């Protein structure tokens, strides 16, 4: 288009500039809390609670050291009797009159989050995709009612059923287990997965499977070779939504996990340091907690852009 | 290749009967074209043969084996869909290789490569093998779709209006290619179309369908010259056959009980007469390049005849019209003089 000024499809330079400014403004406002958390993670505990807040400060690894270790207060005389510090964290800790007592629970909790979030996402997406395929392709008796029932499981906040679930889990021995949390998050996510995937699979024309079945494949093989590759976009999008929920979930995690299966969300905010909440450690934990989901989203962003099936079947 | 026999096949969708007690025997190496308007049940019939639909009644035998209840995978048929339906996530090569890689065939990659390349040459798509299937033009996509069927040697090829989405030039090119390929392979093909040119040029036999029934089947010549009723008569011929009241025009040899006369262009004689005696006049001339369609209004009916492009008839010319051995239909539209047209000409 050479006549951009009069084009209907191409926005004018002025509206582009306005739109750009708005987007940048929104991005900056959204980023402020993240930047604040990142900054707090790099402050010393005393800088973190200074008032007025310190914008310029000397960065410190104290928050990260506190996050990964437990410490105990010792007298200066005792600290002098110790062998020289073995790493930077030791050095920082000792300069505050503390000694490293051992590793903290952060890594195991983080690992729990990882297993539970990815495990439940995998299950929810796998079950959701198969169920959606069934609803999309076969005459399921009372399909609309069943789909509504599946959706209805999301109509109240999950925490409303917290007490029955708590009692049930106690009886079944699922409290504070990885399996229990995976099943719980799968149950919550599977309804979302069914509905999202049904939309995506409905858009894949049946002709592909029919062609594949005539070409010498069973329905299951056709599903794997023809439907799944084309549903990749939908699967990626669904997985991201499920993962974000399972990764961030707080209420059930507080209620049902306390020890061996505790996830990072209930753990991070209760990191107590010398004389109260250890804000740099909390901020450091939050920063690290954000990374996997950002990486996952970035890795799958190619699939989030629609269009790989565009134009192959004429409607 | 094998012969295919359909006996008393019936398929209903709810209250509508898509295929109604249809029987058809297709011999090995035959090219059968099913002709009919949208909704006549042509596509449903193909899908029944392929095993994509289950018949309510009747039987399907392929190569002498009863396949009525078998899934598509064991029927050994190839299908070209009306829409391209190439696998969009695969390259042209992988699309063509897809049927050969089926676990039921167990071909080696070397054998597959050879067959794919042969087929790619056959449908003239060999220079695009590495392309993504979605990066092709409409004609190229359709050639790949046909190639994906031809890469196999099934009992029968089923083709559902494979050329309908293409432009006229490409359609006529591919039509010729398809005929050439069929002759080369000796393939058995059941082909569905609503395009009479495709039916006339491709078919060894044409089956005319209406409301799920096979109204008539025969060679293109038979169907054109000896239709069993007025419905079949209107399916073939350009311009379309003129259906006129029996007493409108003088004609030789009308069968007893004729209600409607079917006059094809070649049955009509138009003559120039002077003013007062003329019963009709030319109302329109349609220039179609090589010829002209002359519309003549006579006794309240419009008659269309195809004449040479350099005709000296002009609009508003007074003319008279006579018929020479037209087709005669009774009040149901059924033929009265069946077999007569051949005898008289």
């Amino acid at each position: 288009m050479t006549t951009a000024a009069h084009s209907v499809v191409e926005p004018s330079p002025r509206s582009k500039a306005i739109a750009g400014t708005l987007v940048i403004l929104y991005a900056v406002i959204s980023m402020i809390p993240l930047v604040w958390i990142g900054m707090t993670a790099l402050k010393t505990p005393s800088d973190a609670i200074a008032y007025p807040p310190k914008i310029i400060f000397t960065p410190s690894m104290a928050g990260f050291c506190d996050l990964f270790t437990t410490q105990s207060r010792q007298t200066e005389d005792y600290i002098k009797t110790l062998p020289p510090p073995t790493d930077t964290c030791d050095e920082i800790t000792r300069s505050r009159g503390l000694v490293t007592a051992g590793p903290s629970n952060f890594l195991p909790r983080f690992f729990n989050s990882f297993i539970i979030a990815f495990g439940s996402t995998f299950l929810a997406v796998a079950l959701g995709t198969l169920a959606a395929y069934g609803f999309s392709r076969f005459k399921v008796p009372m399909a609309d009612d069943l789909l509504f029932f599946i959706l209805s499981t999301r109509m109240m906040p999950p925490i409303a059923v917290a007490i029955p679930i708590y009692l049930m889990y106690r009886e079944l021995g699922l409290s504070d287990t990885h399996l229990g949390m995976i099943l719980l998050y799968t149950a919550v996510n599977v309804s979302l997965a069914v509905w999202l995937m049904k939309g995506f699979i409905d858009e894949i024309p049946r002709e592909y499977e029919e062609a594949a079945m005539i070409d010498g494949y069973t329905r299951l093989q056709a599903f794997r070779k023809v439907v799944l590759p084309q549903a990749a976009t939908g699967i990626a999008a669904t997985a991201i939504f499920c993962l974000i929920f399972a990764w961030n979930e707080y209420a059930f995690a507080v209620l049902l996990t306390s020890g061996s299966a505790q996830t990072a969300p209930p753990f991070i905010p209760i990191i107590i340091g010398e004389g109260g909440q250890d804000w740099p450690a909390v901020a450091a934990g939050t920063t690290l907690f954000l990374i996997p989901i950002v990486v996952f989203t970035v890795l799958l962003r190619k699939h989030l852009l629609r269009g790989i099936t565009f134009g192959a079947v004429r409607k | 290749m094998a012969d295919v026999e359909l006996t008393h096949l019936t398929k209903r969708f709810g209250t509508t009967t898509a295929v109604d007690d249809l029987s058809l025997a297709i011999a090995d190496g035959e090219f059968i074209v099913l002709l009919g308007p949208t909704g006549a049940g042509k596509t449903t019939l193909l899908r029944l043969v392929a095993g994509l639909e289950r018949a309510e009644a009747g039987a399907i035998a392929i190569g002498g084996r009863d396949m009525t209840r078998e899934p598509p995978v064991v029927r050994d048929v190839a299908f070209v869909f009306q829409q391209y339906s190439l696998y969009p996530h695969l390259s042209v090569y992988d699309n063509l290789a897809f049927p050969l890689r089926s676990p039921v065939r167990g071909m080696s990659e070397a054998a597959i490569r050879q067959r794919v390349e042969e087929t790619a040459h056959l449908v003239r798509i060999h220079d695009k093998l590495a392309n993504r299937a979605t990066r092709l033009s409409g004609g190229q996509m359709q050639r790949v779709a046909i190639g994906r069927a031809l890469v196999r040697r099934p009992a029968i090829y089923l083709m559902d209006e494979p050329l309908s989405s293409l432009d006229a030039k490409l359609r006529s090119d591919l039509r010729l290619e398809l005929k050439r390929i069929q002759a080369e392979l000796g393939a058995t093909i059941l082909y569905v179309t609503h395009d009479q040119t495709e039916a006339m040029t491709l078919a060894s036999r044409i089956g005319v369908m209406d409301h799920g029934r096979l109204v008539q089947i025969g060679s293109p010549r038979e169907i054109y010259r000896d239709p069993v009723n007025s419905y079949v008569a209107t399916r073939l011929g350009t311009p379309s056959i003129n259906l006129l009241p029996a007493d409108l025009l003088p004609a030789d040899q009308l069968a007893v009980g004729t209600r409607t006369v079917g006059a094809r262009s070649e049955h009509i004689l138009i003559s120039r007469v002077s003013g007062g005696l003329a019963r009709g006049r030319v109302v329109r001339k349609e220039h179609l390049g090589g010829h002209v369609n002359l519309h003549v209004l006579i006794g309240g009916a419009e008659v269309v005849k195809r004449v040479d492009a350099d005709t000296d008839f002009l609009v508003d010319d007074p003319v008279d019209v006579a018929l020479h051995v037209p087709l005669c239909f009774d009040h149901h539209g059924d033929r009265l003089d069946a077999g007569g047209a051949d005898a008289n000409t």
Side-chain angles (χ1 to χ4, degrees), chain B residues 2 19 52 63 67 107 178 206 240 260 269 340:
Chain B
V19 173
L52 295 173
M67 292 285 189
M107 282 175 74
L178 204 57
I206 294 176
S240 193
T260 309
L269 306 167

Side-chain angles (χ1 to χ4, degrees), chain A residues 262-281:
Chain A
Q262 192 183 43
T263 54
F267 173 80
I268 291 170
I270 55 163
I271 301 168
I272 306 291
E274 266 285 296
Q277 200 83 23
D278 190 341
W279 292 114

Side-chain angles (χ1 to χ4, degrees), chain B:
Chain B
M1 296 295 132
D3 41 85
V4 174
E5 193 157 3
L6 316 176
T7 37
H8 302 296
L9 218 49
T10 299
K11 173 71 192 175
R12 290 184 201 91
F13 294 106
T15 52
T16 52
T17 306
V19 173
D20 190 1
D21 193 33
L22 188 145
S23 297
L24 171 64
I26 303 164
D28 193 14
E30 242 188 330
F31 198 140
I32 303 266
V33 176
L34 294 176
L35 187 65
T38 312
K42 311 181 300 279
T43 298
T44 307
L45 185 68
L46 283 195
R47 294 172 60 87
L48 282 167
V49 177
L52 295 173
E53 305 283 351
R54 183 67 59 88
E56 259 85 44
I60 299 162
I62 299 173
R65 231 184 104 193
D66 180 28
M67 292 285 189
T68 318
R69 307 236 159 265
E70 300 296 330
V73 59
V74 299
R75 294 197 184 201
D76 193 28
V77 301
F79 205 118
V80 181
F81 289 85
Q82 181 171 13
Q83 301 175 321
Y84 310 128
S85 69
L86 300 183
Y87 306 119
H89 57 295
L90 299 178
S91 68
V92 170
Y93 180 90
D94 289 332
N95 260 282
L96 291 172
F98 192 82
L100 303 179
R101 286 185 179 142
S102 151
V104 294
R105 268 172 275 281
M107 282 175 74
S108 72
E109 273 302 316
I112 289 173
R113 169 159 292 276
Q114 195 197 341
R115 183 72 76 78
V116 167
E117 277 166 3
E118 268 171 40
T119 309
H121 274 94
L122 200 64
V123 294
R124 310 213 167 110
I125 200 77
H126 46 277
D127 50 338
K128 302 276 186 216
L129 280 175
N131 285 34
R132 271 281 284 274
T134 45
R135 298 272 164 80
L136 297 177
S137 73
Q140 291 167 336
M141 279 191 189
Q142 200 54 18
R143 273 196 292 225
V144 178
I146 293 169
R148 203 176 61 197
L150 296 177
V151 79
R152 294 168 48 199
R153 300 285 177 270
I156 185 166
Y157 295 97
L158 306 169
M159 302 194 179
D160 186 4
E161 309 206 18
L163 309 181
S164 68
S165 53
L166 306 177
D167 64 65
K169 168 83 174 72
L170 202 58
R171 196 155 59 219
S172 70
D173 287 355
L174 270 181
R175 207 167 57 215
L176 287 172
E177 269 180 61
L178 204 57
K179 188 70 188 167
R180 170 181 65 82
I181 290 165
Q182 192 258 345
E184 240 168 72
L185 299 177
T188 313
I189 299 181
L190 183 56
Y191 184 107
V192 153
T193 185
H194 60 250
D195 181 318
Q196 52 166 308
T197 319
E198 281 175 31
M200 290 299 281
T201 53
L202 291 173
S204 41
R205 281 194 294 160
I206 294 176
V208 180
M209 284 190 73
D210 183 30
H211 292 102
R213 286 187 311 277
L214 191 60
V215 184
Q216 187 177 3
I217 182 151
S219 68
R221 191 181 161 87
E222 269 165 36
I223 300 283
Y224 181 81
R225 302 185 70 163
D226 216 3
V228 295
N229 59 26
S230 56
Y231 173 79
V232 175
T234 53
R235 292 292 113 202
L236 291 180
T238 18
S240 193
I241 191 166
N242 298 286
L243 293 174
L244 308 166
D247 52 2
L248 184 73
L249 295 170
D252 40 9
Q253 301 141 327
L254 279 194
V256 182
T258 301
R259 283 292 182 84
T260 309
V261 167
R264 293 204 189 279
S265 196
E266 58 269 31
H267 300 142
I268 297 171
L269 306 167
I270 295 183
S271 49
R272 193 181 293 277
V273 286
S274 51
L277 294 169
R279 297 181 308 138
R281 68 184 172 86
V282 177
V283 287
R284 195 166 348 138
K285 277 173 81 176
E286 279 182 289
H287 292 273
L288 295 166
H291 62 270
V292 166
N293 282 349
L294 218 52
H295 294 247
V296 176
L297 189 67
I298 185 159
E302 198 169 295
V303 176
V304 185
K305 176 169 171 71
R306 179 174 166 154
V307 294
D308 285 343
D310 56 358
T311 177
D312 48 7
F313 284 110
L314 297 171
V315 173
D316 280 339
D317 275 357
V319 290
D320 201 5
V321 178
L323 302 178
H324 174 65
V325 285
L327 308 172
C328 304
F329 303 102
D330 69 10
H331 60 289
H332 296 301
D334 290 332
R335 260 302 278 294
L336 285 166
D337 53 348
D342 267 337
N344 284 327
T345 47

Side-chain angles (χ1 to χ4, degrees), chain A:
Chain A
M1 282 280 165
T2 48
T3 55
H6 303 288
S7 165
V8 201
V9 280
E10 193 75 2
S12 74
R14 196 163 138 257
S15 66
K16 269 185 181 169
I18 293 171
T21 313
L22 284 175
V23 168
I24 290 167
L25 198 67
Y26 177 73
V28 167
I29 293 171
S30 309
M31 290 302 284
I32 286 174
L34 291 175
V35 171
W36 192 257
I37 286 170
M39 277 167 64
T40 307
L42 295 172
K43 287 178 180 176
T44 60
S46 52
D47 278 351
I49 54 169
Y51 190 84
K54 285 193 177 177
I55 305 295
I56 313 288
F57 59 92
T58 322
S60 154
M61 291 304 284
F64 286 92
C65 292
D66 293 358
L67 180 67
F68 283 101
T69 60
T70 55
Q71 299 123 356
S72 62
R73 177 156 290 278
Q74 299 293 344
T75 59
E76 261 182 63
D77 294 341
Y78 172 75
I79 291 172
K80 275 175 192 158
T81 65
L82 292 174
T86 49
D87 56 33
T88 16
C89 263
D90 261 356
E91 223 175 290
I92 295 167
T93 308
R94 283 185 198 180
S95 69
R96 287 154 57 203
L98 301 162
V99 289
T100 308
S104 75
N105 273 334
F106 179 70
L107 273 183
R109 299 297 182 261
F110 195 83
F111 189 61
N112 284 344
S113 266
F114 216 79
I115 292 175
I116 290 167
F118 279 88
S120 69
T121 298
F122 175 80
L123 268 183
V125 172
L127 293 174
T129 305
L130 289 173
Y133 181 76
F135 277 118
S136 176
R137 294 300 197 255
F138 298 106
K139 276 183 200 149
V140 181
M142 302 199 306
D144 289 349
D145 301 301
L146 283 172
L147 280 168
F148 180 76
F149 167 70
I150 290 169
L151 186 67
S152 73
T153 60
R154 285 186 90 84
M155 284 183 178
M156 57 186 168
I159 204 69
V161 291
I163 290 169
I165 285 179
Y166 180 78
L167 295 173
M168 220 159 67
Y169 267 47
R170 204 179 54 185
E171 287 305 309
L172 293 170
L174 288 171
S175 293
D176 203 17
T177 61
H178 292 95
L179 179 67
M181 295 312 286
I182 290 175
L183 289 179
L184 183 71
Y185 291 163
T186 304
V188 175
N189 272 334
V190 84
S191 60
L192 176 79
V194 170
W195 273 80
L196 280 178
M197 286 311 300
K198 181 165 184 303
F200 283 108
I201 291 176
D202 279 346
E203 276 186 31
I204 302 172
R206 288 158 183 269
E207 276 93 342
Y208 294 128
E209 291 137 84
E210 292 181 340
M213 285 193 281
I214 288 169
D215 283 345
Y217 295 82
T218 63
R219 183 173 280 278
L220 203 64
Q221 289 164 339
F223 174 75
R224 199 164 55 82
K225 296 220 168 219
V226 176
V227 179
L228 277 190
Q230 293 185 64
T233 302
I235 290 171
T238 308
I240 286 173
F241 284 121
C242 290
L243 188 73
I244 287 172
F245 169 81
W247 188 254
N248 292 342
E249 206 282 332
Y250 178 74
F252 276 110
V254 167
L255 189 71
L256 297 173
T257 65
S258 49
S260 62
Q262 192 183 43
T263 54
F267 173 80
I268 291 170
I270 55 163
I271 301 168
I272 306 291
E274 266 285 296
Q277 200 83 23
D278 190 341
W279 292 114
V282 169
T286 308
T287 309
L288 294 179
F289 186 68
L290 284 172
I291 290 171
I293 211 113
V294 170
V295 170
F296 191 68
T297 312
V298 168
L299 285 180
L300 291 183
R301 75 187 187 287
K302 183 169 71 94
H303 284 286
L304 291 173
L305 303 169
R306 288 303 310 258
I308 52 165
T309 67
F310 180 73
V313 164
R314 284 170 46 119
K315 295 248 172 186

